[in-house]
Amino acid sequence: MGFNNAEPLPQDEAEKRLKEHFSGLLLQDEKLDMGFKAIRDEYYFTSHRILVVDVHGISGKKVEYQSCPYHAIKAFAIETAGSTLDTDSSLKVYGGIDMSIEFDKDKVNIYEIQKYMSGHIFSNSVEDRMASEEPAPYKTETKAEGGKTKTMLDYLANDSVRLEEGAVENELGGIGALIPGEKVELAYKCGRDMVVCTSKRVMYMDTQGFSGKRVEFLSLRYSCIKAYEVETAGGILDRDATFNLFTNISEDRKCLRTDLRKGQSDIMEVLWYFNNKLLGADTLSKEESVPLAAASNATNAAWSWLSDDMSQIDANLVNHHFHTSQPLLQGNEVCEVAFKGRRDLVLFTNKRMLFVDVQGLSGKRVSYCTIPYTSIKMFQVATAGGGMDKDCEIGIFTEVWFNPSPPGDDPPPPEPGMSYVEFDVNKHTTDILGIFRYLAAKVYTLQDGNPGIYPDLEDHSHQLMEKPFEASPPGAMEKLMNYIGQDLSQMDPKEIEEVLSIGGASPVLDFDEKVLMAFKCGRDFTIFTSKCILDINVKGFTGKKKEFRSIPYSSIRSFSTEASGSFDRDSELKINLNTPWEAQMKRDFSAGKADIVSIQALIAAKTLGAPGRPSDFANDNTIKKSGEPGNMEKIIAFLGDKHLQIDPKTVEQKFKIELPILQADEDVELAYKHGRDMFVVTTKRVLLIDVQGLRGNKVEFESFPLKNITGFSVQSAGTLSRTVKARLFVSALEGAPNPVFDLKIEKEFSKKDVNIFELNNSLASKILVSAHHQM
């Protein structure tokens, strides 16, 4: 056995260890499927999760129990053993809790691990999952030679390019890589590597090393793909076209690149396929669409079309062009708004944003990048500033990872890449407030709980568009600038709504969007509407440049509020987002100008609830008041009581009546106290209460919706330690530039007051049973 490589535990021994050493760790309906043991650590695969028993310290008494639910896993990869000297194969998991497990190659069949993971991640039913556990057709082998490994390596060594789907399906089915009912729909090969698109996932097979015996099989959900790009081959010396998938899996997997051999593969077929998978079904079949696109001279058409130097062009002309001369749009897709520079073009269709980028001196290499509206998690527009600034800006934020700074003593700053995409438009030809409303209508419609992305299959290819949005009234921007410039200490939501609503002097809000609360801090505005948090940021010395940013409530991963203390005039709001380039937002509110408890209640109403559906109080726009004067002081006294005996019902009453942090239908199940702080598990969230300051007169309430928690762990105390620990995994945005941010929450408790298995089961009963995939 190699150093720390995991070996299989017999089923009866694994079950015995769980019952005797970790009694109470599993849920009542949770079944153990298989177990493995390394030198000190243990790995259990159950019906609900991957459970890692991680032993710390010299004595080994400090043990962390990590739980990674299958439904939170975005992607996984297995890697076969390489040369004879390689003693291990491995499993890597992305999402939930990122982890890597190394197995003894002679005792663990890594293909069986792949088969098991595929069944639990990609099966739609228990029956499909059980069927996926049937033995694979090929003989099981655990050594590097023979059996499944040799069969697959022989197939990868073949020098084909465009692969026949049935042949690939037979090979993958033979090693148990596919689940029952999973069909191979598209397969390409470049060199020794292969990309396979099935009815359930995308698979990348990466052959490594000189011998080619080490092969990585990466499987990812289609829901992890947040943007995609095709790039045509260029001149005579450029043999390959490229296809890029941009994902939210991890930093190193943010862009999955595939080279397709010129003349031996059809890039338009790949584009048609992913359009159908991510934008919805096309009214044109592949047999109709692909030959039509191939018949057009795509590079020449793009060059001639983009040779002029206008800022904004007629969307109907663009719509006609990209359905006839250069048929890149789906039959049921319509170009509604279009901008272009000298050679580049940006299309807003009813399904996506499409960026056309002509590259090189000849312009023969053209990139077509698609960002579906479902991938836009935050967006903003900015007006032109003074002087020589003649451009407005449009920016969108996605879940794709940014490009981090390279290592070194004085590295350059990170670059946003596909995490944040910005482009300039001419202020004289663009209704920038109209564009803001247009994006709002697209993005808000596709928030959590809306059925289907693009269900309309009617053919719109030759439909002429009327105005995609109502034009802003004359002078709308100037009136808004004047309104923002007023010295308003208090803001009336109704007055703000009259100004910003459709039909108002400066329309910014979406149809039926209501202003619920509004605050001004210096020159900036923070407005809470029924659909988003609207930030208006005045920039520069003159203040002529204004930035309007929309943060939909569905993009919030967690939030916290700090109540003012005796010597601190301000209250604070912090929001953690699912956008890596802008991962956190902070706002300070002056004492007496904002009811911070009401703000907390509003965000909770828009974010808490079951996964995959609108929040429980999404349509409730009532502003909850913070209660009677002096209630905060009572809560601080309650938390500061050293002899306080924690009773969940008492805690629930305190935070429903005296200080209404909890919702009316929210129950407290567990509550723990450590010093002056408190850890509360409710039916909707985990609530951390942090008492701050020497006198304890400032309190932070931090909420983590259960639907956003992708993994968790509990840790026992060591030999000399008096504390146990819990960790919640909410996001993995480590290294985000603004600010540096990694949302893994740790909380310590006194070991005499907390049963870690009771806490584990409370979290497991809520997080493991979710059927929704938090991507």
Side-chain angles (χ1 to χ4, degrees):
M1 173 178 172
F3 178 73
N4 212 32
N5 290 341
E7 298 181 350
L9 286 170
Q11 186 76 10
D12 56 349
E13 181 182 342
E15 291 178 348
K16 181 180 179 181
R17 290 185 66 82
L18 279 177
K19 290 178 181 178
E20 292 182 357
H21 297 280
F22 319 121
S23 177
L25 194 59
L26 300 186
L27 298 175
Q28 287 187 348
D29 64 341
E30 191 172 5
K31 182 174 73 73
L32 174 65
D33 293 329
M34 53 185 176
F36 303 89
K37 190 176 190 312
I39 293 177
R40 298 206 303 173
D41 300 338
E42 298 174 30
Y43 309 93
Y44 296 95
F45 292 76
T46 80
S47 54
H48 291 56
R49 57 181 149 176
I50 300 174
L51 177 61
V52 179
V53 181
D54 186 7
V55 180
H56 297 277
I58 297 176
S59 67
K61 290 191 175 182
K62 181 180 290 187
V63 182
E64 182 179 11
Y65 306 89
Q66 300 179 5
S67 293
C68 177
Y70 296 118
H71 67 75
I73 295 175
K74 301 174 182 179
F76 73 92
I78 64 160
E79 192 172 273
T80 63
S83 64
T84 307
L85 298 178
D86 265 342
T87 62
D88 63 295
S89 53
S90 65
L91 167 69
K92 295 179 181 178
V93 173
Y94 303 92
I97 302 177
D98 289 356
M99 62 176 62
S100 179
I101 305 174
E102 295 184 346
F103 299 97
D104 188 321
K105 72 172 184 180
D106 293 327
K107 298 181 179 180
V108 177
N109 179 7
I110 195 63
Y111 287 109
E112 290 299 318
I113 300 294
Q114 181 189 43
K115 180 180 175 183
Y116 178 88
M117 293 292 291
S118 296
H120 279 269
I121 295 172
F122 298 108
S123 293
N124 294 328
S125 65
V126 176
E127 290 75 19
D128 288 346
R129 186 183 306 164
M130 293 176 63
S132 71
E133 296 173 2
E134 292 295 320
Y138 296 154
K139 179 183 176 182
T140 297
E141 297 281 347
T142 55
K143 295 185 180 292
E145 64 274 12
K148 300 179 182 182
T149 303
K150 186 175 186 303
T151 302
M152 198 66 216
L153 290 177
D154 289 344
Y155 188 70
L156 288 173
N158 189 3
D159 196 28
S160 58
V161 179
R162 172 66 168 88
L163 304 177
E164 198 275 319
E165 290 86 357
V168 176
E169 191 171 309
N170 288 335
E171 293 296 329
L172 292 177
I175 64 171
L178 303 180
I179 64 174
E182 186 175 10
K183 299 296 182 183
V184 172
E185 298 174 338
L186 188 67
Y188 278 88
K189 189 166 174 289
C190 184
R192 300 186 299 175
D193 303 333
M194 187 189 301
V195 181
V196 179
C197 301
T198 79
S199 53
K200 300 283 188 179
R201 58 180 142 172
V202 181
M203 300 178 69
Y204 281 82
M205 277 149 263
D206 179 16
T207 304
Q208 304 169 2
F210 182 77
S211 67
K213 289 184 177 181
R214 181 174 285 273
V215 183
E216 182 189 61
F217 296 79
L218 172 69
S219 295
L220 66 142
R221 303 180 191 268
Y222 284 105
S223 57
C224 295
I225 302 171
K226 302 304 176 182
Y228 54 97
E229 177 186 45
V230 297
E231 196 173 274
T232 62
I236 298 174
L237 298 178
D238 192 354
R239 300 182 61 200
D240 296 335
T242 60
F243 185 76
N244 299 320
L245 296 180
F246 300 97
T247 80
N248 68 343
I249 296 174
S250 67
E251 180 185 319
D252 60 327
R253 304 277 190 177
K254 61 180 174 292
C255 179
L256 302 175
R257 179 185 175 94
T258 305
D259 292 324
L260 301 177
R261 190 61 49 82
K262 183 178 179 181
Q264 295 180 305
S265 56
D266 193 339
I267 194 71
M268 290 304 164
E269 179 186 28
V270 179
L271 182 60
W272 178 89
Y273 181 84
F274 279 93
N275 283 344
N276 275 262
K277 279 293 181 183
L278 301 177
L279 300 180
D282 195 347
T283 51
L284 296 177
S285 67
K286 181 174 71 174
E287 291 71 24
E288 293 173 314
S289 177
V290 174
L292 186 64
S296 68
N297 189 334
T299 54
N300 288 341
W303 177 253
S304 61
W305 178 252
L306 301 175
S307 60
D308 201 0
D309 192 23
M310 292 187 295
S311 297
Q312 187 171 359
I313 52 179
D314 187 343
N316 289 315
L317 294 178
V318 178
N319 188 62
H320 177 76
H321 175 85
F322 283 103
H323 277 109
T324 55
S325 303
Q326 196 179 359
L328 294 176
L329 302 184
Q330 293 182 304
N332 55 344
E333 187 176 9
V334 183
C335 177
E336 298 175 334
V337 182
F339 297 95
K340 78 181 198 59
R342 184 176 182 274
R343 298 203 298 176
D344 301 335
L345 184 66
V346 181
L347 278 64
F348 293 78
T349 80
N350 57 323
K351 296 189 174 190
R352 58 174 157 172
M353 292 180 66
L354 177 61
F355 296 84
V356 182
D357 180 15
V358 180
Q359 303 170 2
L361 293 175
S362 68
K364 290 185 176 182
R365 192 169 186 89
V366 184
S367 163
Y368 304 94
C369 182
T370 289
I371 302 179
Y373 291 122
T374 50
S375 297
I376 300 176
K377 300 304 177 183
M378 188 165 68
F379 60 92
Q380 65 186 32
V381 301
T383 65
M388 301 297 293
D389 189 359
K390 66 176 183 178
D391 292 330
C392 299
E393 298 165 1
I394 300 173
I396 59 171
F397 298 83
T398 74
E399 294 176 87
V400 179
W401 284 70
F402 55 88
N403 301 320
S405 298
D409 295 333
D410 189 20
E415 297 179 351
M418 290 298 294
S419 187
Y420 173 65
V421 180
E422 181 183 274
F423 60 97
D424 297 338
V425 293
N426 192 302
K427 69 177 182 180
H428 299 296
T429 60
T430 304
D431 181 356
I432 197 65
L433 295 183
I435 294 297
F436 187 87
R437 298 195 304 275
Y438 174 87
L439 280 172
K442 298 295 185 186
V443 174
Y444 300 161
T445 303
L446 299 173
Q447 291 189 50
D448 288 345
N450 285 279
I453 302 178
Y454 307 108
D456 181 15
L457 293 183
E458 183 182 349
D459 192 330
H460 295 296
S461 59
H462 301 290
Q463 175 179 327
L464 293 179
M465 278 296 300
E466 296 182 1
K467 295 179 181 179
F469 51 84
E470 288 294 327
S472 302
M477 182 57 70
E478 289 75 12
K479 293 176 182 177
L480 183 57
M481 297 300 100
N482 293 334
Y483 184 76
I484 291 175
Q486 296 181 52
D487 186 15
L488 303 175
S489 57
Q490 295 185 1
M491 302 184 66
D492 179 11
K494 290 185 178 180
E495 181 183 337
I496 295 285
E497 186 176 318
E498 288 179 0
V499 174
L500 301 184
S501 64
I502 294 177
S506 303
V508 172
L509 303 179
D510 187 26
F511 175 75
D512 77 1
E513 187 175 7
K514 304 294 182 183
V515 173
L516 307 180
M517 306 176 78
F519 305 94
K520 189 178 184 188
C521 182
R523 300 188 301 176
D524 303 333
F525 283 72
T526 298
I527 300 172
F528 296 86
T529 80
S530 54
K531 298 184 178 183
C532 75
I533 300 174
L534 174 61
D535 250 10
I536 303 177
N537 184 13
V538 180
K539 292 176 170 283
F541 180 76
T542 63
K544 290 185 177 181
K545 193 174 188 70
K546 310 293 192 302
E547 180 183 87
F548 301 82
R549 175 180 293 181
S550 173
I551 306 171
Y553 293 114
S554 60
S555 298
I556 296 175
R557 302 291 287 174
S558 68
F559 56 96
S560 70
T561 56
E562 287 185 6
S564 299
S566 300
F567 301 100
D568 189 341
R569 297 187 63 251
D570 292 342
S571 298
E572 185 179 65
L573 168 69
K574 287 190 293 188
I575 293 176
N576 297 317
L577 304 164
N578 59 359
T579 49
W581 190 247
E582 291 281 354
Q584 191 176 80
M585 174 189 123
K586 290 184 179 181
R587 289 295 177 268
D588 291 323
F589 301 98
S590 297
K593 304 300 182 185
D595 186 338
I596 198 67
V597 177
S598 295
I599 293 173
Q600 188 279 155
L602 172 59
I603 298 175
K606 301 299 182 182
T607 57
L608 298 184
R613 298 194 332 226
S615 62
D616 293 344
F617 295 94
N619 297 320
D620 183 359
N621 295 325
T622 306
I623 301 301
K624 308 295 189 297
K625 299 300 181 182
S626 60
E628 297 295 326
N631 281 355
M632 179 59 73
E633 287 73 13
K634 294 179 182 178
I635 290 295
I636 290 174
F638 171 73
L639 295 171
D641 185 354
K642 295 181 180 179
H643 304 290
L644 177 65
Q645 296 295 316
I646 295 296
D647 174 39
K649 288 301 177 185
T650 301
V651 173
E652 182 178 317
Q653 290 301 309
K654 286 285 183 181
F655 292 111
K656 278 187 176 180
I657 298 174
E658 289 190 8
L659 199 69
I661 297 293
L662 303 180
Q663 295 181 328
D665 61 344
E666 187 175 7
D667 299 327
V668 173
E669 295 191 352
L670 289 176
Y672 302 106
K673 195 166 182 288
H674 184 62
R676 300 182 301 178
D677 303 335
M678 193 175 288
F679 182 98
V680 181
V681 181
T682 81
T683 49
K684 296 188 178 186
R685 63 179 134 183
V686 172
L687 177 64
L688 304 185
I689 303 173
D690 180 17
V691 180
Q692 303 171 359
L694 292 175
R695 299 187 180 184
N697 51 17
K698 189 168 187 178
V699 184
E700 179 183 18
F701 299 90
E702 192 166 13
S703 294
F704 301 90
L706 291 172
K707 66 181 181 181
N708 292 337
I709 299 176
T710 60
F712 62 93
S713 72
V714 295
Q715 181 178 292
S716 62
T719 304
L720 302 177
S721 174
R722 294 185 297 175
T723 60
V724 296
K725 184 185 294 184
R727 288 203 295 169
L728 306 177
F729 296 81
V730 182
S731 184
L733 304 180
E734 187 172 6
N738 194 17
V740 175
F741 175 66
D742 181 21
L743 199 52
K744 288 199 260 318
I745 306 305
E746 294 189 4
K747 195 67 179 176
E748 292 186 345
F749 313 93
S750 170
K751 68 179 181 182
K752 66 182 178 65
D753 296 329
V754 176
N755 180 335
I756 62 170
F757 292 131
E758 177 189 43
L759 175 57
N760 171 86
N761 280 2
S762 178
L763 294 171
S765 64
K766 300 168 184 60
I767 296 168
L768 299 186
V769 298
S770 172
H772 177 63
H773 309 304
Q774 280 293 336
M775 296 297 106

